[in-house]
Amino acid sequence: MDLKFTPEEHAFREEVRHFFRTAVPESIRRKVLEGQHLTRQEIVASQRILNEKGWAVPNWPVEWGGQTWTPVQVYLYQDEMQQAGVPAPLGFNTSMVGPVIAEFGSQAQKQRFLARAANLDDWWCQGFSEPGAGSDLASLRTKAERVGDTWVINGQKTWTTLAQHADWIFVLCRTNPTAKKQEGISFILCDMKTPGIKVRPIETIDGGHEVNEVFFDDVVVPYENLVGQENKGWDCAKFLLGNERTGIARVGTSKARLKRIRELAKLERVGDRPLIEDQKFREKLAAVEIELKALEMTQLRIVADERGRQKGKPNPASSILKLKGSVIQQATTELMLEVAGPYAMPYVASDEGDGRNEPGYGPDYAAGAAPTYFNWRKISIYGGSNEIQRNIVAKAILGF
Amino acid sequence: MDLKFTPEEHAFREEVRHFFRTAVPESIRRKVLEGQHLTRQEIVASQRILNEKGWAVPNWPVEWGGQTWTPVQVYLYQDEMQQAGVPAPLGFNTSMVGPVIAEFGSQAQKQRFLARAANLDDWWCQGFSEPGAGSDLASLRTKAERVGDTWVINGQKTWTTLAQHADWIFVLCRTNPTAKKQEGISFILCDMKTPGIKVRPIETIDGGHEVNEVFFDDVVVPYENLVGQENKGWDCAKFLLGNERTGIARVGTSKARLKRIRELAKLERVGDRPLIEDQKFREKLAAVEIELKALEMTQLRIVADERGRQKGKPNPASSILKLKGSVIQQATTELMLEVAGPYAMPYVASDEGDGRNEPGYGPDYAAGAAPTYFNWRKISIYGGSNEIQRNIVAKAILGF
Amino acid sequence: MDFDFSDDQRLLKDSVDRLIADRYDFEQRKKYANEPDGWSRDMWARYAELGLLGLPFPEAAGGFGGGPVETMTVMEAFGRGLVLEPYFATVTLGGGLLRHAGSERQQAALLPQVAAGELKLAFAHVERQSRYDLQDVGVTATRDGAGWLLNGEKSVVLHGDSADKLLVTARTGGSRRDPGGIGVFLVDATAGGVSRRGYPTQDGLRGAEVSFANARAEDVLGDPGGALPAVQRVADEAIAALCAEAVGGMAAMHALTVDYMKTRKQFGRAIGEFQVLQHRAVDNFVALEQARSMAMYATMMAASDDAAERRQAVSAAKVQIGRSGRHIGQEAVQLHGGIAMTMEYKVGHYFKRMTMIEMLFGDTDQHLAVVAGGGGLF
Amino acid sequence: MDFDFSDDQRLLKDSVDRLIADRYDFEQRKKYANEPDGWSRDMWARYAELGLLGLPFPEAAGGFGGGPVETMTVMEAFGRGLVLEPYFATVTLGGGLLRHAGSERQQAALLPQVAAGELKLAFAHVERQSRYDLQDVGVTATRDGAGWLLNGEKSVVLHGDSADKLLVTARTGGSRRDPGGIGVFLVDATAGGVSRRGYPTQDGLRGAEVSFANARAEDVLGDPGGALPAVQRVADEAIAALCAEAVGGMAAMHALTVDYMKTRKQFGRAIGEFQVLQHRAVDNFVALEQARSMAMYATMMAASDDAAERRQAVSAAKVQIGRSGRHIGQEAVQLHGGIAMTMEYKVGHYFKRMTMIEMLFGDTDQHLAVVAGGGGLF
């Protein structure tokens, strides 16, 4: 047992850190660190920089652009990326549809889609959730009927993140209505330009436009857009949901936020002293840091354990990462709100363009404090709510 | 709406306060406030002082020694009693078996038992809980068979508080084994000197002897010791458990403890300052005070609402009093532990006699800090655990 | 001790409750929010008609002589309705300053206009550096003949954009954080040297940044250097009112959540059948009732003339409200799931309003420190 | 980064785990507690035999040169067994002081005796007024010829009653809370002028009050006025060891609770079938894993020569352990119900031990203040 990084691991950390902080424009990274929305162009630009380096899809098979990194290296890559404010490669492409196609797709599908997904030539979005289904994903009702060489899709998806930017969508459809819940579901790819697809924005409480409803009205796509076997789409979904559980804790993101909070708390003054000298505030900050340090160690323990595990069969302990990681991320938003104080109150509309037209009303960072607090409540809801995570741990680890 | 006490209520408060603080010996009250165990003699002496004044059983019917106090007066009486450190009249007598006999008992039973119970001439204990039953009281298995003019009782009770002092026990027995759970239970009185009753002490983690197992081995008692109707004992039990829910919050007790903690924290020094000047400690104390103030107001609201309610049909909101009251009482034990610091560590055996033979090792109050912390964990377990209280609120108030 | 409403109070409560029920559902509220001021002039007229805009004012000044209980009643209903109009800014803050710092002449001149709905007020006290400290005042007022000239900037002036007149704390002497040397000045919002930038606040209400460049005050309320005690008293009353508003909002959020749990189905049954969610709803209920209790306590104590006692009580209530509000708000969102994250659903709006209330007139930690600095609540 | 045990570490772990499993079940422990010392001399001999009593000592001094990972391994097993013997007092504290403050001569003279089980040590540092502050030292050491005379009183000396020799912090200069002027003195426990009152501690271990009246020290470890850095270093190592012990105890409590939930029936089914209790068990599991992570972190950092960095890490771990331990302990009792309140059942004993560990070498709040006073953990 040696709880220190090896010199090789240290060197790797330095390498990725250097790259992230020099190759990716600071303007993009600053926006990420301040919790501002990025434009489509910024996300694409950043991912292409990584892809050029060969680092957009390290988790993919090597033949499709992946790396042979150890789990510790993957961890260091994510940690440094998050700390530097480098936008993560678009998850729908790199952690979801990409690995699914690489695992279950035909050779033709691989050739057609993988390189484009890695380079964000195609922007993918995820057609899983439906109104009324929520955590009970398998109760989905969007159906695809086989008609000749095509699928005809009807139904509705919701919470579809950034569908407004998307070129393609991967959709879970019910293809056998008489089979039991998880059986009779298929995983189908649709070009967003296909007639019959309509995207309606959902405005979130922070005033942002991140998610959408996607309607399918007699949408016809080629039969060959099916990934894997007909009626076995649940296997793809499970595989997809099981991937990349360690990044979920976003330890690096929380690290960067806590550092930023500490910096700002040195600048903000309460009476005649900096906020950081307020005993209560300092102890609250320290308490979150301690939880985060513990989570980082927990993550490393899980990472170390990954070597022996099968791909797509995550360590159920990774539910801890989701549970604690979400709570810690949310705690950082509460601290930031406190730092901003009264200046968290003005609402400044942000647009999709390059920054804001109007100047803000207080310090720059303050405008994002409340929207981020509001928006990040989603973290304990999406991707399997924290209640679902507790059910998983209760069953898979505690044996209830 | 007038949220202030009336002049009459103020005068009543003064009257009970004066009486409690002059008539009941300070030596007894100090032990209560320090969380020490009282001797049997002290408990008896204190109750007889109250009974002489006519204040031992204010909740009973007037003809059996009760008072016609308003709910606010009952509240003030309890609050001042708890704040003064006056031991509450023995609950088994005054809140449990007494009201049950007054409501369900025969005239002969009333005459035989009530005055003696009020004066603590008979010490009663409660034979409800059984090993394996826990919160599921109605699953009890102790059985009483009718044989001629007698009951023959066999079985075991547990968690029987102060059975070592008791003259009588009231026992829930199964008298119809074929009836459904709550049906077929009877409420029977037994003289503790009856052959076949054996009391075995249970040592609790604080080293105290408060609770016992009570074994019934062919215990024969007269048939007339049945209270109410045969097989209708569950009605008595429900009535008993529904009584006196407002005292359960023990707001006055927590008030007295918080005051004591504040006093001690002025005396204990951390480095060169009194503990009370430590920002963190002060804020923790304040946080508990605020919760307690809120609970006091909640209790007053429930008290005010009691006027219109039927006896034995408690306001389900009184579950809040149990939930919050227990958590606050437990929080005071944690604060006290913190005040005591390292001197909470030595264990000083207390005995049933008059105080300790050995001197303690640190300040006097410190010896009780850890045992009280340990012992008071029971508050959220007994009398319907906090989990059961949540079930009650969920059903009775929220309508789930 | 009597928790029942008097007949007059019951009448008031019924009429305000009915008004909110009839005219302030979620769809109506959206419409009001889209009006030019960001709130409804029509509703404002109705409040005036019902006497709400003069409720806490002396009868001599065209008011109804209502006390803290009456204000609590109105604010709780407004909390339920997520009311957008500048009632708090105009009546509670502006009216409160006139009541506690203004002369009889000033009250007689202005309060009847407020009660009639003809005059909207706003209270400008926050500054860039002051955070929640009422005595941290950098805006200056200097003598100019018989009058005063104001210079400096005020931040996050609630409903400052639509106010007709501003009540502004400004320094006539002492250094930036001295308790002495602070006056409250009455300034016409359209006077020369006053400029305002209005904006929506995070909860959908309105605020403004206001700057003064040799802006001439119309008048000063009371002692130009000794207004702080009155300002603190108004702040205490305001906090009691906010506590009541918050209780209205929390109660509505809690009720929405429980209802949603009974109808929303997951895994084949209503999510309200899951015991773990039931227990969390119970904890919300307990948090709500504790908050309600403390809002009543603050109401009871808000009229106290003992400033130290009043402050302790009000701060204790603000702490409870802050904690309960945050807990209930976060849990309401979590128990709803994604739907609560959308603008189209009401719960998120309550959540946002609770968040802003926690930040008004001092956050939870600041008030906890006040209670901790006192000699104990018992 | 490698979380696997080396072969030697695996061997150590297996043998200690086996020892505890075979010889430290709850009934055996009760028997040991009833022996005259309050612990088992037989087990002490076995520890010596296994090499545990010399584990962290240099090989030159008869030890095995084990590091923090080895100590963690032993302490975690001991935490599971609720071990009563004075291992922590003798090996971790006493041995640690000799290692970090003692000369080679002193180490060579004493450590082999400790390793052989022939010498038991205790560390006397707490005083009536000092609480958790290691530099608050009122006991004095004054020169007397070539030696030193000690005067004053020490409190809550862990296993001070059965120790052969005491290591005592005493002041040779400066005022009561000065960092300078503190020495560590070696005193024979039976020397003239030393009097001891032994007692059980709340967790069933042992402590003593010790007073010195012109008691002659046998020796002084290192600089008689400059021992504080070594004392702090030993305290940091001790905290890391306590963290590991606590994790052993928490893990055992958690496992007992989950087992109990699966067998205990209420309302016709195992209480483990109630979802609300399952979720609480999950929260305990998360608290346990977070604590285990931080115990590892403390272990990793305990050997650091950078005192400030070491202190931050160890304090952070102590906070996590304190919070997790309290949460898991209270929940274990609550989820068990009445049975956990009895001496006859094991869970209450873990709960009590966790409570005492939280108070050893600084409580949670004190360590949180240390972390808060630093520049951040990242």
Side-chain angles (χ1 to χ4, degrees), chain C residues 16 60 87 89 91 100 119 181 190 198 214 256 309 313 323 332 337 359 368:
Chain C
V16 180
Y87 184 86
V91 178
H100 293 302
L119 179 68
T190 59
N214 282 323
L256 273 172
E309 185 189 61
R323 294 191 166 178
M359 297 200 295
L368 181 61

Side-chain angles (χ1 to χ4, degrees), chain C residues 134-184:
Chain C
L134 293 168
Q135 74 186 55
D136 189 331
V137 174
V139 168
T140 57
T142 46
R143 278 266 177 213
D144 180 65
W148 299 86
L149 291 180
L150 267 55
N151 281 286
E153 302 194 359
K154 292 286 184 182
S155 304
V156 199
V157 179
L158 299 178
H159 279 109
D161 54 347
S162 58
D164 303 304
K165 292 186 191 297
L166 304 170
L167 292 152
V168 186
T169 52
R171 191 159 282 291
T172 57
S175 64
R176 212 192 74 216
R177 302 182 61 245
D178 279 352
I182 296 171
V184 175

Side-chain angles (χ1 to χ4, degrees), chain C residues 216-234:
Chain C
R216 182 168 297 277
E218 273 183 20
D219 208 345
V220 56
L221 305 191
D223 178 355
L228 187 63
V231 168
Q232 283 171 331
R233 177 163 205 150
V234 170

